[in-house]
Amino acid sequence: VAISGLLQANNGKPFKLDLSKQNFKSDEMFGISFLAPALPANKSMRFLDLSHNKLSDVDVTCLASALAENSALEELKLVNCNLSDKAAHILARHMKRMKGLKSLWLQNNPFGVKGAFSLFKAARENRQLHQLWLPTDKGFAVDKMQEDLHVHFQLNQAGHGLLYHDLNNVPEALWPHVLARVNSIETWRSVS
């Protein structure tokens, strides 16, 4: 409850919140269901680490719904959170609405190829995301998805998202820089 109050009150200086290894329980006052309602209104938190907490599908639903309304959070760490395929599907479904999210860490979770594929598809449609780290022990298919996302994320970092906005709203002076960055990535791809 104190953290929830802090998140609702703190709308000034950007900050990072590390709640890793807190042993959250779904039925406790300090669980995700009490944290999540404060997230949509918070405009200062840039990084949230919930790693090494066992998160249920309900926890992930609460968290993803709240973060879909938060445009300030840039990095979310859910490493070793016991995320299921269903939890991965839930995150994927909400990812498009997570406008500020640039990095999502999901290593060491038990979800399989189906969950990874849902996240892969959602990440490919996302123009803001710069990193998505999938579990590394799931075999060739997931390794290939991770590799394919690398190029997509480089394009996002180069300004790929601008191509999907109203082109009249992009300042003309910005276009040479965007196209040069995209060209440098294409050059790098052909060399490697």
Side-chain angles (χ1 to χ4, degrees):
V1 176
I3 292 173
S4 180
L6 170 73
L7 290 175
Q8 289 174 342
N10 187 335
N11 283 312
K13 185 178 176 185
F15 70 96
K16 298 179 178 186
L17 183 59
D18 184 346
L19 295 174
S20 60
K21 301 178 185 175
Q22 296 300 309
N23 296 318
F24 288 129
K25 303 259 193 285
S26 295
D27 58 343
E28 287 186 1
M29 266 182 74
F30 302 105
I32 298 298
S33 61
F34 285 91
L35 174 68
L39 294 175
N42 185 281
K43 304 297 181 217
S44 302
M45 183 172 51
R46 300 293 184 258
F47 175 90
L48 176 60
D49 188 351
L50 295 170
S51 297
H52 307 283
N53 288 296
K54 303 273 187 240
L55 302 182
S56 69
D57 295 340
V58 172
D59 291 334
V60 174
T61 299
C62 289
L63 182 64
S65 296
L67 292 176
E69 304 302 322
N70 178 310
S71 60
L73 187 73
E74 296 176 354
E75 301 179 56
L76 177 60
K77 227 174 165 178
L78 300 174
V79 174
N80 194 25
C81 286
N82 200 38
L83 301 182
S84 66
D85 276 321
K86 184 176 180 181
H89 291 296
I90 293 164
L91 284 170
R93 191 172 61 240
H94 287 85
M95 192 182 295
K96 188 174 188 174
R97 292 182 25 229
M98 296 179 189
K99 297 292 184 197
L101 192 65
K102 290 182 175 40
S103 299
L104 178 58
W105 287 275
L106 300 172
Q107 301 98 316
N108 300 328
N109 279 294
F111 64 82
V113 175
K114 289 181 182 180
F117 188 67
S118 292
L119 289 160
F120 172 78
K121 288 191 324 187
R124 295 276 310 194
E125 295 172 7
N126 186 301
R127 307 291 176 232
Q128 293 82 27
L129 202 61
H130 293 180
Q131 296 178 320
L132 170 63
W133 297 105
L134 298 169
T136 57
D137 59 349
K138 304 300 176 190
F140 176 77
V142 176
D143 291 345
K144 181 70 173 140
M145 287 180 225
Q146 186 75 63
E147 182 181 316
D148 289 349
L149 285 174
H150 180 71
V151 173
H152 175 74
F153 293 146
Q154 286 187 313
L155 289 171
N156 281 356
Q157 291 171 17
H160 185 230
L162 290 174
L163 301 175
Y164 293 89
H165 291 296
D166 181 3
L167 299 180
N168 294 325
N169 288 335
V170 177
E172 281 187 43
L174 187 58
W175 280 109
H177 299 288
V178 170
L179 295 174
R181 289 177 79 182
V182 170
N183 187 41
S184 69
I185 289 171
E186 288 300 317
T187 302
W188 175 84
R189 266 181 85 188
S190 64
V191 171
S192 57

